[in-house]
Amino acid sequence: MRYTDRFIHVDTDYRPVQNRRGLAVVFLVVFVDLAGFGIVIPILPYFARSFGASELVIGLLAATYSLMQFGFAPLLGALSDRYGRRLVMVMSLAGAVLAWTIFGFATGLATLFVARGLAGAMGGNIAAAQASVADLTTPEERPKALGYLGAAFGFGFIFGPVIGAALAFEETVAVVDGIAPAFVPVSPFSLPAFGAATASLLALLLAATLLPATKGETERETQLDALRNALAAPGLRGLLGAFFLVSFAFSGVQIMFIPYVADIYGYTESQAALLFAYIGVLAVVVQGGLIGPLTSRYGDAPLTVFGAGCLAVSLVGIPAAPAIGRLLPDATGVVGFLTPQLLGLLVVLAALSLGNGVLSVTLTALVSKGAGSRQGSAFGLTQGAGSLARTIGPVVMGGLYTAVAYWAPFVLGFLLLLPVVVYAVGLPSVAPERPADPGHVR
């Protein structure tokens, strides 16, 4: 590896000790940032409903974030290639601090839309983090490292919703209300938002002081040229399509899942947050423990087929969860609150976590392998494709939830993933490479 005054340039002379330290910092920054993001997600639909929003408006609110992310993610990805990952991540995290603060002070839907739009515009730090991982790993190590990055996501979503649930408790609100200045709004919705702003500020400080300043080769092409080149490459074109469909289905279902558990199960924002924490725990198990050995044994293409199929079945299983629970053994004698309806939902969510955890890592690894030195732009484009899908998906799913029935978004998510399964079946099945020192990879 060769060093300059400002940046670490990845070269063939691989230095595992320094790179492991750099990866640890990347994972820590992503964990703290995603914990802040996870704090807010479960309360977002409840907050919007407190202002009289329908499921369609909730979908539009979610789409605002993704629309802005779609416009800015490719640009931020290219900037991270040119000027470095650290600069982009620090800038994005600063925007997140401001956005979540505005969110906490919101007094109407208009302010929520402004805050979500700003958060989306500054949401390119994930593409920069993925590119940093690619900079600091060899191709053989990359799937496992990306799995660890996914585990950092999962840990964020474990602790984030739990923190959000704690901040939304009536007791917490009462305590803070007694000590907070008069100008600070205190509610089950504002406190999680301020908690998210604090987490983003901590992640900003970590990124500014500890994150290695890596970058790929400088690229001169415009965003339009980058998109045109990506679409001209058959491999990337298909992967962008897969990212679009997966993001369309999953984002819409994710947003409508909270109204679903509120309407069908009668859950509060704190209970919904605990379900997200459960999903996060399983994501850590899959992406932090299982994905490395699985990719080493089976390769990315077969696992992509499995992940897409498992995710598709789990999506259509969500509205059927109460019926599935009635087919399972009664567990209330062992755990009193584990009703058949809840048990069925937990089983379906376990399959969802397995499918999504595997699929997200394998698709990302396939993009990385085809991107060469243009890791930042490639990840920026895939994130942009995902953001475009997340702009459309919640709106469509919210409209279906409102106009058709609560089960309609989940059935559509299942149908959208079928082409991804077909595409994954057609991927070339390349036997995973075995390194000379297997213990180094494990």
Side-chain angles (χ1 to χ4, degrees), residues 174-203:
V175 171
V176 176
D177 192 33
I179 61 176
F183 69 90
V184 177
V186 179
S187 73
F189 309 123
S190 64
L191 290 187
F194 296 144
T198 303
S200 294
L201 178 60
L202 177 58

Side-chain angles (χ1 to χ4, degrees), residues 89-128:
M89 293 187 72
V90 168
M91 181 177 65
S92 299
L93 291 167
V97 173
L98 179 60
W100 296 133
T101 302
I102 295 173
F103 192 92
F105 278 92
T107 56
L109 284 173
T111 313
L112 289 183
F113 274 97
V114 170
R116 290 287 290 173
L118 176 60
M122 294 290 99
N125 54 325
I126 301 305

Side-chain angles (χ1 to χ4, degrees), residues 75-382:
L75 172 62
L76 293 176
L79 287 175
S80 77
D81 282 334
R82 186 181 181 96
Y83 298 107
R85 321 300 186 199
R86 183 171 61 191
L87 176 63
V88 170
M89 293 187 72
V90 168
M91 181 177 65
S92 299
L93 291 167
V97 173
L98 179 60
W100 296 133
T101 302
I102 295 173
F103 192 92
F105 278 92
T107 56
L109 284 173
T111 313
L112 289 183
F113 274 97
V114 170
R116 290 287 290 173
L118 176 60
M122 294 290 99
N125 54 325
I126 301 305
Q130 290 172 324
S132 294
V133 170
D135 291 341
L136 297 169
T137 56
T138 64
E140 294 78 15
E141 294 173 321
R142 201 160 295 151
K144 184 177 180 180
L146 291 170
Y148 286 141
L149 185 65
F153 275 62
F155 275 119
F157 278 108
I158 290 173
F159 290 97
V162 171
I163 295 170
L167 293 174
F169 282 146
E170 293 182 3
E171 293 80 2
T172 306
V173 174
V175 171
V176 176
D177 192 33
I179 61 176
F183 69 90
V184 177
V186 179
S187 73
F189 309 123
S190 64
L191 290 187
F194 296 144
T198 303
S200 294
L201 178 60
L202 177 58
L204 185 156
L205 296 175
L206 290 171
T209 57
L210 300 176
L211 191 69
T214 66
K215 71 173 183 177
E217 293 183 3
T218 300
E219 300 178 28
R220 301 293 183 180
E221 62 187 2
T222 65
Q223 294 181 67
L224 183 60
D225 289 336
L227 180 59
R228 186 183 298 113
N229 292 338
L231 293 176
L236 283 181
R237 182 170 62 241
L239 289 170
L240 285 175
F243 263 95
F244 179 85
L245 291 175
V246 171
S247 300
F248 188 113
F250 191 79
S251 64
V253 166
Q254 183 184 44
I255 295 299
M256 290 303 109
F257 175 75
I258 301 173
Y260 166 75
V261 297
D263 296 338
I264 304 302
Y265 286 80
Y267 287 167
T268 65
E269 57 267 19
S270 296
Q271 291 170 314
L274 292 176
L275 284 176
F276 273 83
Y278 168 75
I279 294 172
V281 169
L282 297 179
V284 169
V285 172
V286 173
Q287 298 183 331
L290 297 180
I291 195 64
L294 288 174
T295 52
S296 297
R297 182 176 180 85
Y298 299 106
D300 293 322
L303 286 179
T304 302
V305 176
F306 170 79
C310 188
L311 181 59
V313 172
S314 66
L315 292 186
V316 78
I318 289 176
I324 293 172
R326 288 192 290 270
L327 300 176
L328 299 174
D330 187 358
T332 54
V334 180
V335 183
F337 66 85
L338 199 57
T339 63
Q341 292 82 2
L342 176 58
L343 182 59
L345 183 61
L346 294 179
V347 169
V348 171
L349 292 180
L352 181 145
S353 297
L354 176 61
N356 185 61
V358 169
L359 185 60
S360 61
V361 172
T362 56
L363 284 178
T364 302
L366 288 170
V367 169
S368 179
K369 289 177 181 178
S373 64
R374 301 175 178 181
Q375 299 290 328
S377 293
F379 286 128
L381 288 170
T382 55

